[in-house]
Amino acid sequence: MEQKKIVTIQDISCFGKCSLTVALPIISAMGIGCAIIPTAVLSTHTGGFKGYTFKDLTDEIQKISDHWQSEGLSFDGIYTGYLGSKEQIRLMSDFFDRYKTDSNIIFVDPAMADNGKLYPGFGDDFPAGMASLCAKADYIDPNMTEATLMLGEEYPGDNYDMDYVRSILKKLCALGCKTAILTGVKQGDRQGAVAYDSVNDKYYEYFSENLPMSCHGTGDVFSSALMGALTLGKDMNEALAIAVDYTVDCMKLTYGDETHWYGVKFEQGIKKLVNRL
Ligand code: PXL
């Protein structure tokens, strides 16, 4: 049988376990072919390391896309993560126009902010650019910081209820995407993800433990597992459960090891992830 194929477009942070060094192994382990377009090479991610290097690869993106078109390549899923500039957002928008088909899915993780703040290096106009890319997606999965930045709303911290979550999801879909998934949603002593499918006017949610920790790269772990599950044809209930459970497992595997502050031990959870597919 033909193998499913995803292309994921994000940076390579050489050390630190995020973006491509997370997405490629997780998607591959799920049995899906994973093509990549690296948007930049950094010595580490930008969360907690000082003096990281940054080599921009924007000039390569269109050339890679042109070559793939001349080879007649196509993908079951297109998944973008961390993008380094508004120019890269524009290139992704063109990439979507070129590679969208009636049956493939476009997934945008607007990875740019957390805990009420943009990541280092992004200007205040970046969220509006990311919102315009989200408009073209089938699925987007911001955290609360990214969602409120894209909507121009105040970040509520942990002060919100499920009515607020549902209203945010509806507003995200009003940007233009079909389904919005809000990650890191806290409800009492639980944490999970809530989705709104605007085509069928349906909400989905899945909650697990709320661990007393927050780790770099968990957004990328979650998005990669969710995108993999959706590409394999899992329905939203199952895909959310797979992605939330895997993310929580990775955090538990890392909890208590202070030498591993920069990311999660996603490798040690892969066997369990794959066994439930
Ligand atoms: O995990 C998101 C991410 C991706 N790429 C780079 C980052 C971050 C988060 O900080 O710095 C370079």
Side-chain angles (χ1 to χ4, degrees):
M1 208 177 75
E2 212 177 313
Q3 189 187 28
K4 295 283 187 194
K5 236 185 343 315
I6 287 175
V7 55
T8 183
I9 304 147
Q10 35 190 323
D11 69 281
I12 298 177
S13 289
C14 297
F15 185 89
K17 300 195 185 180
C18 71
S19 41
L20 278 184
T21 65
V22 166
L24 179 57
I26 292 173
I27 291 167
S28 302
M30 294 174 88
I32 302 164
C34 188
I36 60 167
I37 301 183
T39 54
V41 177
L42 293 82
S43 51
T44 64
H45 61 62
T46 65
F49 296 99
K50 286 190 205 73
Y52 51 84
T53 67
F54 184 96
K55 172 74 177 168
D56 185 74
L57 296 176
T58 304
D59 289 350
E60 294 303 307
I61 295 173
Q62 191 63 41
K63 291 192 261 180
I64 292 169
S65 172
D66 290 347
H67 179 224
W68 285 357
Q69 188 181 39
S70 74
E71 293 289 333
L73 299 184
S74 62
F75 302 96
D76 301 291
I78 303 169
Y79 158 34
T80 66
Y82 183 99
L83 300 170
S85 63
K86 289 181 84 175
E87 171 64 3
Q88 290 191 347
I89 290 174
R90 197 190 60 72
L91 286 162
M92 287 306 99
S93 179
D94 291 350
F95 189 88
F96 292 173
D97 292 342
R98 183 177 270 185
Y99 286 97
K100 178 68 188 159
T101 66
D102 289 342
S103 57
N104 69 2
I105 59 180
I106 295 181
F107 186 112
V108 173
D109 177 358
M112 60 182 167
D114 205 359
N115 299 313
K117 280 206 308 264
L118 278 169
Y119 294 145
F122 290 125
D124 288 342
D125 58 345
F126 195 75
M130 193 55 100
S132 70
L133 191 65
C134 285
K136 292 183 137 182
D138 296 301
Y139 300 93
I140 66 169
D141 72 337
N143 59 34
M144 186 63 90
T145 304
E146 292 154 348
T148 50
L149 278 170
M150 288 196 291
L151 294 172
E153 297 210 1
E154 207 171 312
Y155 174 61
D158 286 344
N159 252 331
Y160 56 80
D161 58 17
M162 286 303 278
D163 284 344
Y164 178 76
V165 167
R166 290 197 192 98
S167 77
I168 288 284
L169 286 166
K170 277 208 160 166
K171 287 181 196 169
L172 287 168
C173 286
L175 293 174
C177 64
K178 293 202 182 82
T179 296
I181 301 123
L182 195 63
T183 65
V185 176
K186 291 181 186 141
Q187 193 185 35
D189 62 353
R190 314 285 286 165
Q191 186 173 169
V194 184
Y196 177 61
D197 168 354
S198 65
V199 176
N200 299 300
D201 191 26
K202 271 189 85 167
Y203 289 97
Y204 301 84
E205 60 179 52
Y206 185 84
F207 287 89
S208 179
E209 291 165 69
N210 182 22
L211 300 172
M213 64 192 291
S214 96
C215 296
H216 291 289
T218 46
D220 300 335
V221 167
F222 177 86
S223 294
S224 302
L226 183 63
M227 177 55 173
L230 292 170
T231 303
L232 290 173
K234 306 291 183 194
D235 65 25
M236 186 52 85
N237 279 320
E238 195 180 355
L240 282 182
I242 287 169
V244 170
D245 285 344
Y246 177 51
T247 307
V248 170
D249 283 346
C250 292
M251 290 172 80
K252 282 185 174 168
L253 286 162
T254 313
Y255 186 68
D257 181 352
E258 272 156 32
T259 68
H260 208 285
W261 58 270
Y262 49 82
V264 288
K265 298 177 184 173
F266 71 94
E267 305 89 341
Q268 297 178 1
I270 281 185
K271 204 182 223 171
K272 193 166 146 198
L273 166 71
V274 169
N275 280 343
R276 75 183 280 185
L277 293 177

